[in-house]
Amino acid sequence: MWAILLVFVSCQSKKANHFEIQSGQFHINNKPVQLICGEMHYPRIPKEYWQDRMKRAKAMGLNTISAYVFWNFHERQSGEFDFDGQADIRHFIKLAHQEGLYVILRPGPYVCAEWDFGGYPSWLLKEEGMVYRSNDERFLQACERYITRLGEELSDLTAENGGPIVMVQVENEYGSYGNDKVYLGKLRDMIINAGFNVPLMTCDGAGQMEAGYVDGALATVNGAVGDDVFKAVDRFTPGGPYFVAEFYPAWFDVWGHKHSYRDYKKPAKQLQWMLENGVSVSIYMFHGGTNFNYTNGANAAYGYAPQPTSYDYDAPLGEYGNAYPKFFAFREVLQKYLYKDELLPEVPAPNSVIALPIMEFTNSAPLSNAFNERVESERPLSMEDVNQDFGYIHYETTLNRAVKGKLTIKDVRDYAVVLLNGQQIGSLDRRHRQSNIQIEVTEVPAKLEIIVENVGRVNYGSEILNNRKGITEKVTLNDEELLGWINTPLPLYNAPINDYQYEASDVKGKPAFHKTTFNLNETGDSFLDLSQWGKGAAWINGRSLGKFWNIGPQQTIYVPGPWLKKGKNELVIFTFEDTGARKAKGLKKPILDQLGIDKNKPERRVHDYSKTPVLDDGDKINYSLVAQNNWQDEFIFDNVHTMRHLALEILVNDKKTAITEIDVINADGSLLTKDTWEVVYVNSEEELEYQVGADCAIDGNFGSHWEVQPSSKADCIIIDLGEIQSIKSIRIHKRNPEKTRVDNINIYGRPQFFLLK
């Protein structure tokens, strides 16, 4: 228990505040301060609500805001910077100052954040052979231009200069990616040279801190709770300061998967422990918001997994500024353990929420209304080839002979709709590793169209190096390459959507725009129910609301109240895949937890056996095998370990692996429930029948099992436990103890994904 009086200094004063690290603590003007921080992202919150969200942060008990800076939001085209409107991060930081909040600035240049390309601008992908997140000179030159420009915009807002910025982060979780200290050192120097005269920091998972640390910066830990915080930080700064730079009381969603939810009780206790032990903490996320303008990212650690438009995150403060029970639980803990001698501000009243009337769409415009630049080429061009960042791209060619067979789009990125003579004949989904459909051409000449959507560039892991979108290789028909294409970029998010030529007709069976108008007597937040509309995008009064997809879990799109008008409003919906729906309404509550039919999903889950996991020794767990009866083995760890992703590497032996169940025991000795578990990687499994797949090892059914025959390689399974847990041991139940062994095993744990290569 720490017995130090921690002073919370308001940062509203315009005079300089000297922020420094001394005696194992953070200090402002020589007084110790415990940073209670929450992550918020300015592009994901309507600018009109920035201050509203900060007032709610203050009311929960935060004294600091953590903010990534999104490079590709400010430099969409090389050398062309934008810091206005929604990109006015200077105004965002000054509002934090006005509300008495400190700021931790996280400029990357890589930020991850479930954001397209991890924040990198797409034009980097045009540079042949450029290696991102490395000492590549061309890459560093682009980074320096961005960091220098950011310094011109923000460096005068540091605490030393009378502003609220108390720390600046170098890179972001780099230890999960590489170990290039020269690269990190150059980024550190860029930040210093840009005028940021406050302490620097790095952040990494406990096992990756050594690789991600750079001299001259404070090493902080992500995802650790309990004593793991001390053990992780003491390797670099014995005695502190202790800072959990990303504390995860929740998690992000993925298209086609259940909504992420975590009960508040355990995170509230973890937060209480940090307060009692003098650990500074940043809640990731405090408030997530929305991926407007198609800015969501994707992960590829266990197969392509894009994030939806909603970034609600099950955070304490929900997508539209709504306070979940987690918010009030955290507020209660902070009031009791930190703000003992003062009352926290009252929680602002909820913003107005309205139901939009039932709207019928009677006017349509074909996709060709959005055609602008059209580029001819021998082979299809990628989005990056035509200077496009987000959205869709249209490809067109002519088939001059009757043919029947297999149309293949090699490595489609990411979702393709195929039309023949103006009507959709199929679609391909990268999530399911689909690349071909059957096609039959009877009338010639025939127009073949392929429209490809960037569903989100990978934002984490080695796949960021392979992030081009659209048709990135070639198209073949019965193995014969199709040549002679017209390429049409369709970013759409910034298109003059209301100016298209809408007519009182209904364009069916192919991508099209549908428009309606409605009148309001009052405005307020609302949630557009598009659960029957299939796949597409929407705009309100010309502003992009983002994308929808009936597979869920998100079935509504957030409509910010400030974007609505009293009187006439215009709503446009783009149907990428048309279901025939032509009515919509706005609800008073969002639907974020409802899965729909995934028409492209194969009947049996297909695991990608071509990749191998990167199992870092820093994540390896020491254990002692406890002798059990032959039906089970228990591996008790030397210390309690915090993790979300558990990897088991069953080493080579002459007996097959046949596991009926894998149990995980938490720090208090109780079994974890498996309701939210998911097998996210397995390198082999028998395909004899439905009861022998890897998923059977965590289904709670001792009548099913995961079976693998003896081979020359280790059997590996990676399980997502659904939330960060404090783990004491694992228990493995075997199907046939005389014919199986699993006691030769390596065990790894991480708060985030293991990488695959």
Side-chain angles (χ1 to χ4, degrees):
M1 183 74 68
W2 286 48
I4 296 175
L5 174 63
L6 294 172
V7 179
F8 293 87
V9 184
S10 170
C11 71
Q12 287 178 296
S13 171
K14 297 296 183 183
K15 66 180 181 180
N17 287 307
H18 183 56
F19 181 87
E20 63 179 343
I21 297 166
Q22 57 174 282
S23 304
Q25 292 178 278
F26 297 120
H27 283 74
I28 290 195
N29 298 332
N30 296 315
K31 295 179 180 179
V33 59
Q34 189 171 4
L35 300 179
I36 308 301
C37 185
E39 187 86 15
M40 290 200 303
H41 300 152
Y42 55 100
R44 285 172 161 150
I45 308 166
K47 183 178 181 180
E48 298 89 340
Y49 276 148
W50 285 351
Q51 191 163 19
D52 171 86
R53 306 305 194 246
M54 290 176 184
K55 288 182 181 295
R56 297 176 194 279
K58 193 78 172 176
M60 196 184 83
L62 302 185
N63 59 20
T64 307
I65 292 297
S66 176
Y68 280 132
V69 185
F70 299 89
W71 183 4
N72 60 6
F73 200 65
H74 297 288
E75 194 181 3
R76 291 184 185 273
Q77 296 298 326
S78 179
E80 299 177 10
F81 287 95
D82 178 15
F83 287 95
D84 295 324
Q86 193 68 40
D88 190 355
I89 186 175
R90 181 177 180 85
H91 182 59
F92 181 81
I93 291 174
K94 292 179 77 172
L95 284 176
H97 198 191
Q98 183 178 324
E99 293 300 323
L101 293 162
Y102 298 114
V103 172
I104 294 176
L105 193 69
R106 309 216 282 169
Y110 166 80
V111 298
C112 188
E114 293 75 59
W115 185 271
D116 188 278
F117 204 5
Y120 288 149
S122 62
W123 47 263
L124 290 174
L125 293 159
K126 292 187 67 174
E127 293 289 336
E128 199 68 34
M130 179 186 284
V131 181
Y132 327 114
R133 299 191 83 180
S134 81
N135 197 30
D136 185 309
E137 190 59 36
R138 292 175 300 165
F139 172 68
L140 288 174
Q141 287 176 359
C143 290
E144 186 168 22
R145 182 177 63 200
Y146 153 65
I147 292 292
T148 300
R149 180 65 182 83
L150 191 65
E152 294 171 2
E153 195 71 25
L154 301 180
S155 64
D156 66 319
L157 297 180
T158 64
E160 291 288 335
N161 296 328
I165 300 173
V166 293
M167 282 198 293
V168 179
Q169 184 174 296
V170 180
E171 239 271 1
N172 184 60
E173 295 182 321
Y174 179 70
S176 295
Y177 184 84
N179 189 22
D180 187 341
K181 299 298 184 184
V182 174
Y183 161 66
L184 287 178
K186 289 183 177 180
L187 283 184
R188 173 202 59 206
D189 294 346
M190 288 178 198
I191 292 170
I192 294 171
N193 293 336
F196 292 104
N197 54 357
V198 289
L200 306 180
M201 57 176 272
T202 58
C203 73
D204 292 279
Q208 291 71 46
M209 290 174 70
E210 179 63 43
Y213 170 76
V214 64
D215 288 340
L218 174 70
T220 71
V221 64
N222 287 354
V225 296
D227 289 341
D228 276 1
V229 176
F230 298 142
K231 287 184 286 188
V233 173
D234 280 343
R235 290 175 295 158
F236 301 92
T237 52
Y242 301 104
F243 185 23
V244 178
E246 291 187 10
F247 165 54
Y248 307 116
W251 204 250
F252 57 85
D253 280 345
V254 173
W255 281 123
H257 292 245
K258 292 180 179 179
H259 175 55
S260 178
Y261 169 77
R262 187 180 182 192
D263 186 77
Y264 65 84
K265 296 181 182 65
K266 184 182 289 185
K269 290 181 180 178
Q270 292 168 338
L271 177 62
Q272 176 183 324
W273 181 92
M274 294 184 203
L275 297 176
E276 292 175 333
N277 288 275
V279 176
S280 290
V281 58
S282 183
I283 299 166
Y284 193 100
M285 296 288 297
F286 161 69
H287 171 51
T290 308
N291 291 310
F292 302 113
N293 300 322
Y294 317 158
T295 51
N296 67 279
N299 281 290
Y302 313 125
Y304 182 67
Q307 290 93 37
T309 298
S310 171
Y311 198 63
D312 176 86
Y313 213 92
D314 189 40
L317 201 66
E319 180 176 15
Y320 60 104
N322 54 306
Y324 285 124
K326 200 174 292 176
F327 177 98
F328 293 104
F330 286 7
R331 172 181 160 88
E332 182 179 345
V333 169
L334 287 162
Q335 180 71 79
K336 181 177 180 180
Y337 289 92
L338 203 61
Y339 297 92
K340 299 177 182 178
D341 300 323
E342 60 177 298
L343 287 176
L344 289 171
E346 289 293 322
V347 179
N351 291 312
S352 175
V353 177
I354 63 171
L356 300 179
I358 295 176
M359 297 161 281
E360 188 167 356
F361 294 75
T362 57
N363 293 288
S364 301
L367 181 62
S368 58
N369 270 248
F371 289 3
N372 190 359
E373 177 188 11
R374 308 201 77 194
V375 181
E376 294 185 7
S377 64
E378 187 75 354
R379 291 180 172 84
L381 301 176
S382 72
M383 285 189 179
E384 295 72 23
D385 290 331
V386 292
N387 300 314
Q388 182 181 348
D389 48 8
F390 310 128
Y392 310 79
I393 186 168
H394 178 276
Y395 301 94
E396 180 182 327
T397 192
T398 301
L399 304 177
N400 291 309
R401 61 184 176 88
V403 64
K404 181 179 180 180
K406 183 170 69 174
L407 179 74
T408 300
I409 311 172
K410 189 175 180 182
D411 202 17
V412 64
R413 298 299 181 92
D414 301 297
Y415 195 99
V417 167
V418 182
L419 292 87
L420 185 64
N421 290 327
Q423 292 300 306
Q424 180 174 340
I425 60 171
S427 58
L428 301 171
D429 189 341
R430 179 184 175 189
R431 296 177 309 126
H432 302 312
R433 300 170 63 201
Q434 295 166 343
S435 61
N436 60 77
I437 63 170
Q438 293 297 311
I439 185 173
E440 183 174 6
V441 179
T442 57
E443 297 181 8
V444 294
K447 182 167 72 170
L448 175 67
E449 297 172 88
I450 303 171
I451 308 157
V452 182
E453 175 190 356
N454 167 10
V455 185
R457 288 187 182 84
V458 173
N459 57 261
Y460 182 80
S462 60
E463 281 295 305
I464 66 168
L465 297 175
N466 185 23
N467 247 332
R468 286 184 166 234
K469 293 298 181 182
I471 297 177
T472 59
E473 293 196 29
K474 62 183 179 180
V475 181
T476 62
L477 181 53
N478 289 338
D479 299 324
E480 181 180 339
E481 186 174 3
L482 298 180
L483 303 174
W485 292 88
I486 301 174
N487 311 265
T488 307
L490 299 168
L492 292 193
Y493 66 90
N494 58 357
I497 210 78
N498 289 327
D499 296 336
Y500 294 162
Q501 297 301 309
Y502 295 90
E503 297 181 0
S505 61
D506 192 6
V507 181
K508 296 181 178 180
K510 54 186 174 183
F513 302 95
H514 306 278
K515 183 178 180 180
T516 190
T517 60
F518 60 95
N519 290 293
L520 293 176
N521 295 322
E522 61 174 344
T523 62
D525 293 341
S526 194
F527 309 93
L528 193 62
D529 182 359
L530 297 174
S531 56
Q532 304 304 310
W533 281 73
K535 184 171 178 54
W539 294 258
I540 190 73
N541 295 322
R543 303 188 70 163
S544 169
L545 296 173
K547 296 178 182 177
F548 60 88
W549 197 353
N550 68 291
I551 64 172
Q554 173 185 0
Q555 300 292 351
T556 55
I557 288 187
Y558 173 44
V559 182
W563 294 4
L564 292 168
K565 301 180 292 186
K566 288 184 179 180
K568 182 179 177 181
N569 291 266
E570 294 180 316
L571 174 63
V572 174
I573 294 178
F574 170 57
T575 51
F576 188 36
E577 287 199 283
D578 185 20
T579 64
R582 294 296 183 268
K583 291 183 179 180
K585 61 181 178 180
L587 309 178
K588 285 190 173 183
K589 289 187 177 180
I591 302 173
L592 300 176
D593 57 356
Q594 179 178 303
L595 294 178
I597 296 174
D598 185 351
K599 68 182 184 63
N600 291 74
K601 186 176 182 178
E603 291 185 7
R604 188 181 189 277
R605 180 174 178 183
V606 179
H607 291 283
D608 184 358
Y609 303 122
S610 65
K611 296 184 178 181
T612 56
V614 180
L615 300 176
D616 194 321
D617 283 344
D619 297 317
K620 186 179 286 189
I621 297 169
N622 295 322
Y623 65 87
S624 57
L625 175 62
V626 176
Q628 300 284 336
N629 61 50
N630 288 332
W631 292 95
Q632 70 180 35
D633 295 313
E634 184 168 0
F635 303 88
I636 297 181
F637 305 158
D638 297 344
N639 299 291
V640 171
H641 288 265
T642 55
M643 68 182 76
R644 172 166 177 153
H645 290 82
L646 169 69
L648 306 180
E649 188 180 35
I650 300 167
L651 304 181
V652 178
N653 56 66
D654 58 356
K655 295 184 178 182
K656 69 179 180 181
T657 298
I659 295 174
T660 58
E661 283 298 308
I662 298 170
D663 291 333
V664 176
I665 295 88
N666 69 16
D668 65 10
S670 61
L671 282 176
L672 293 182
T673 60
K674 304 177 185 179
D675 294 349
T676 60
W677 290 18
E678 181 183 4
V679 173
V680 290
Y681 171 80
V682 62
N683 67 348
S684 56
E685 59 185 339
E686 293 297 296
E687 298 185 13
L688 304 176
E689 52 182 294
Y690 76 97
Q691 287 188 318
V692 296
D695 296 324
C696 296
I698 62 168
D699 64 359
N701 178 7
F702 283 89
S704 64
H705 65 281
W706 168 41
E707 182 173 316
V708 183
Q709 295 298 326
S711 69
S712 60
K713 64 180 179 180
D715 302 322
C716 183
I717 186 171
I718 300 176
I719 301 168
D720 178 357
L721 302 176
E723 62 177 297
I724 290 179
Q725 305 278 5
S726 298
I727 306 304
K728 180 180 180 180
S729 65
I730 66 167
R731 190 178 298 145
I732 295 178
H733 302 266
K734 295 169 287 187
R735 181 169 183 261
N736 191 331
E738 294 184 0
K739 295 183 179 180
T740 63
R741 282 180 68 91
V742 293
D743 53 342
N744 296 317
I745 188 171
N746 286 331
I747 304 172
Y748 304 81
R750 290 205 68 192
Q752 296 177 320
F753 303 107
F754 291 93
L755 301 180
L756 301 184
K757 64 179 180 180

